[in-house]
Structure formats: structure tokens, C-alpha cells
Amino acid sequence: MSRRSGILEFAVLGLLRESPMHGYELRKRLNTSLGVFRAFSYGTLYPCLKALVANGWLVEESGSAPEDARAASLAGRRAKIVYRLTAEGKEHFEELLAHTGPDTWEDEHFAARFAFFGQTSRDVRMRVLEGRRSRLEERLEKMRASLARTRERLDDYTLELQRHGMESVEREVRWLNELIESERAGRDKRTGPDQ
């Protein structure tokens, strides 16, 4: 399974955990709620859905009342298929949600993971946030070292682009620091001296 399809699987399971949906509705939610999927098509979504059904993590159900399905078939249209998470699918999503390996810190996967932080335990959120911050701090050091080596060979526009990239990473590191401190403060409130 490719990294992108793994992210899509995670996001689909997470959205369907909230409620059953048909493909169009699911694609719309992926695009609007989880911006990391802006550029994917039905040609990507439906094979993922079929694989999730084949694994027993989703079931397909007719999305129409029986008379609506009959009217749709008479009109030559297919009834909408609604996808619903199975008990095994919920369990699989819980396993994915608990995973905190290095892939959860990467750009695309981090955004999808962050979208489901409300369903994620505090200790997992902390590991993902700290891992992401560490990964970005490494990236920032490499960017600074590269800029120091090549500064005199770059034109003004390329230098400006490099500076912009570094500022973006620095801004995300500051944001992560704030989130981590907020998580720690929340933990401290719950585990204070009176508990």
C-alpha cells in the first residue's frame, strides 16, 4: 500500500466512524475538512472503498428507500451506495489512531492525523506533536546549513524563496510548541495534587 493510499484509508475510516456516507459526500468531506486530499479523484476514492469493503472494514448499503431505488432503476440511474464502518473497521481505525511512528510526522499524514486529534488519546497526541516538531527542527537545520553553503551563488529571488520556506517551518515549530504546551497544561490540570 502506498503512503498516499494509507492516508486515504485512515481518513475514510475516520470520517465513516462519525457517520455512514455515500461516495460523493465522503469525497466532499475529504476535500473540505481534510485539505490534504484536495487533488484526489473518484478514481482514487472508489478503489480505496472497495479495498476497505474487501477487508471487512466497511459494508455497502443501499442509500435509498426501496421505492426510491426502484424509481432510480426505472430511470436508468443507480441507487447511491452508502458506506458504513463495521465493528472490525472501528477496531482497525482505533489501531491506526494509536500508531505514532515516523510516518505520522510527515507532511501529508500529519495533517490527516491532526484532523482526528479529537478522537485521539492525549499521550498519542503528545508523541505525534513532539515527533512532528523534531522532524521540522531537523528540516530547519538542514535548510539553514544549505542556505549558508549556497547563499553567494543564489539570486535575490531564490534567496527570498529560501527565506520564505524557512519562515514557514519556523512558524509551524512555534505553533507545535504552543500545542504541546497546551497539551501539557491540560494534563497537569487533570493530574494535579487533588487527584
Side-chain angles (χ1 to χ4, degrees), residues 21-52:
M21 291 181 226
H22 55 78
Y24 173 78
E25 187 179 8
L26 192 53
R27 181 174 185 258
K28 185 176 170 183
R29 289 281 312 276
L30 286 165
N31 285 327
T32 58
S33 304
L34 309 171
V36 297
F37 296 103
R38 287 184 298 274
F40 88 102
S41 67
Y42 289 113
T44 306
L45 176 60
Y46 284 105
C48 176
L49 289 169
K50 294 296 180 195
L52 293 173

Side-chain angles (χ1 to χ4, degrees), residues 24-111:
Y24 173 78
E25 187 179 8
L26 192 53
R27 181 174 185 258
K28 185 176 170 183
R29 289 281 312 276
L30 286 165
N31 285 327
T32 58
S33 304
L34 309 171
V36 297
F37 296 103
R38 287 184 298 274
F40 88 102
S41 67
Y42 289 113
T44 306
L45 176 60
Y46 284 105
C48 176
L49 289 169
K50 294 296 180 195
L52 293 173
V53 168
N55 285 330
W57 298 327
L58 300 181
V59 291
E60 296 176 330
E61 300 172 338
S62 174
S64 307
E67 54 276 358
D68 294 340
R70 185 170 177 261
S73 67
L74 291 174
R77 296 182 315 228
R78 294 185 316 159
K80 288 183 179 175
I81 295 172
V82 173
Y83 296 91
R84 183 179 51 80
L85 203 57
T86 64
E88 295 81 11
K90 288 177 185 173
E91 187 177 311
H92 180 63
F93 181 69
E94 293 295 327
E95 291 169 5
L96 294 174
L97 210 52
H99 175 69
T100 60
D103 60 320
T104 65
W105 311 331
E106 298 300 332
D107 295 341
E108 281 187 340
H109 206 149
F110 175 76

Side-chain angles (χ1 to χ4, degrees), residues 10 14 17-18 34 93-101 104-105 109-130 183 187 190:
F10 175 81
R17 182 179 185 210
E18 297 169 8
L34 309 171
F93 181 69
E94 293 295 327
E95 291 169 5
L96 294 174
L97 210 52
H99 175 69
T100 60
T104 65
W105 311 331
H109 206 149
F110 175 76
R113 288 299 300 261
F114 192 80
F116 294 100
F117 262 22
Q119 301 175 38
T120 306
S121 68
R122 184 181 306 273
D123 63 319
V124 170
R125 286 193 309 259
M126 283 296 288
R127 285 194 300 272
V128 172
L129 290 171
E130 289 171 343
E183 287 289 331
R187 180 182 298 150
R190 291 198 173 105

Side-chain angles (χ1 to χ4, degrees), residues 114 129 174-184:
F114 192 80
L129 290 171
R174 283 192 303 273
W175 174 69
L176 289 166
N177 285 335
E178 291 169 9
L179 288 170
I180 290 167
E181 288 307 311
S182 177
E183 287 289 331
R184 286 184 180 144

